[in-house]
Amino acid sequence: MDVANLAHVKRAVCYLRKSREDEQAERRGEDTLAAQRAMMEREVLARFAFSCDVCEEVASGDSIRERPVFRALLSKLGVEYQAIVVKDLSRLGRGSYADMGVVYDLIRDRQILIVTMDAVYHPANHSDLMMIRFFMFISREEYEMITWRMREGKASLSRQGKWVAGSVPYGYRYDQERRVLVPEPDEAQVVQMIFSLYVEQGLGARAIADTLKSLGIASPRGHANWRPGVIQRMLQKEVYRGTLEYRKTKRSKADQRRMAAPLAERIIVPNAHPPLIAEALWARVALRRDAKRKGAERGDALPAVNEGLRELTRVVRCGLCGHFMQYQMNRRAYRQKNGVATEHRNEYLRCFRCRVGVRYRMVERQLLCVMSDVGAAHLVGNEEGTNASDDEKAYAGVGRMEIERRVAERKVELERRMRRARAYLLDGTLAKDEYEQEKKGVTDALLALERINIAAGVERATDDVASCCDLGESALANSYEARVGAAPHGATLADVYREMASEWEKNRLLHSVFRGAILRVIGDGRPRDPFHLDLYVDRAIQNALVL
């Protein structure tokens, strides 16, 4: 250790933080930071005469943002401290490459010396700078390799039905030997009671929570009160039907928001552990839950004309989860400089499950672009019946529940096929171009399944529109028929749409033109992000577009 390089150092800081190995030791009850501090004082700090403050990082994160002590320390380097003492150079690295660039530039520009157990690195020395860059790069690559191995190891175990998805859900306990979920008899009865109360007695989440409290049943965290949100989440957990889900969500690199992962990346293993809820009861709960969801999602009747029906109600589905996207409007009041009070409104089309959204009117304009190429005469006399697509013919005469069951089974097969392809890519059996071709085939097959779901859903939607006419909207229905039939010669469907006064009429027209639409947001799901819209046009309208 070159002590001469430290002659000008008056004050230094010793930065201590836990490594991944230290975290494992912490779980065994060891105080790793205290042991690291004693070692640094004995092996390093005792050799020098300068004063040294000690900063301990309790948190352990991948980025500077997740290490508050280190983030505060950076502003003091070169001002209060002329050197930083660490166990090894990896304690400064392992962040993202952007973070490493920030640390490296600061050390180089402010001429901060780095003291480790083995050497002193001076930024004025070209060889020392090269070593700093080298060790930072190596520590980051080591971190990436460790993270990849852990991630792939968990994925491999989850494909075998092993539980690696975090905390054990209420109603189960974790079998450490087999690494699977095993029912906890007392808690399992509570879970079955919740599902039964929801279906058999028609109770909502708050009423179920009150019932459990009156019976003296403690919540999953041991509290006397049950939160309705806990009940709602339990009613949606696939784990209670014996299905293991892994990689269902992922974090955005930009702002760390949790969002739904693409279907091709998810790992879904049916019958991974004993179910607590029978399949028939689960289906009934799912139907009632979807029927209560705001926006009248799949299988529901359309809302009444004056009860929230919008132009795009049940027209556009989310490309991630397949559920109908819903209308949302935000109002913001503000006062102009001249004192006039004004209200600003923003309209969005959102999927509240996947937390993605787009501008409502942008989607509407894309639909109108297609309708502007079709004359209104092509719709007259063709609203009630159209030619079925090939996907619909394959499922002709099959009930909607049966269609959903077959589609779900097919999706599981495609997921298994994709997992095999990824495994073959990792062990070298498949080349990258072969893997991409296989991935494209799976993606195309998933899109075809979405078309089948759309065909089944729109058929029900048409029935729901007809039922609206029986519930007191016959005057509006007659107005709709008259408006379409009386369209002037040469008028397009877009012209007819713009002339319609009510949102109910516009919605019915869209259902007559489009068999469905799938929207995929390109980006993190913010309303201003671009999106891709797959439109499934009625067969008669397709012929008009071709002509």
Side-chain angles (χ1 to χ4, degrees), residues 225-287:
N225 294 326
W226 284 72
R227 287 163 42 192
V230 174
I231 304 294
Q232 291 173 351
R233 288 191 291 272
M234 290 176 67
L235 292 170
Q236 300 177 39
K237 285 187 176 181
E238 297 277 346
V239 67
Y240 291 128
R241 63 191 299 199
T243 301
L244 185 148
E245 292 183 304
Y246 187 62
R247 290 180 177 173
K248 186 177 179 179
T249 60
K250 65 178 183 179
R251 288 195 180 275
S252 168
K253 290 291 185 182
D255 54 10
Q256 297 298 307
R257 284 195 313 160
R258 187 164 290 281
M259 54 192 298
L263 189 60
E265 296 180 8
R266 302 181 189 182
I267 298 176
I268 302 175
V269 183
N271 303 318
H273 49 266
L276 301 185
I277 304 301
E279 197 64 31
L281 179 59
W282 175 269
R284 293 174 64 191
V285 169
L287 285 174

Side-chain angles (χ1 to χ4, degrees), residues 508-522:
R508 186 172 182 184
L509 177 59
L510 291 178
H511 277 289
S512 302
V513 175
F514 300 100
R515 299 293 290 175
I518 299 177
L519 188 145
R520 293 173 177 81
V521 178
I522 303 172

Side-chain angles (χ1 to χ4, degrees), residues 42 135 255 407 417 457 463:
R42 182 180 64 253
F135 277 110
D255 54 10
V407 168
R417 174 178 161 186
D463 295 338

Side-chain angles (χ1 to χ4, degrees), residues 193 210-217:
M193 180 191 302
D210 294 339
T211 302
L212 295 176
K213 179 183 177 181
S214 65
L215 294 175
I217 300 174

Side-chain angles (χ1 to χ4, degrees), residues 1-13:
M1 185 174 293
D2 190 358
V3 180
N5 284 337
L6 300 171
H8 71 286
V9 176
K10 302 301 181 184
R11 194 177 179 194
V13 60

Side-chain angles (χ1 to χ4, degrees), residues 321-341:
C321 66
H323 283 73
F324 287 108
M325 302 186 73
Q326 303 170 21
Y327 174 84
Q328 182 190 43
M329 180 173 63
N330 294 338
R331 296 183 177 91
R332 186 178 66 180
Y334 63 94
R335 190 173 297 276
Q336 299 179 1
K337 292 182 179 180
N338 57 8
V340 178

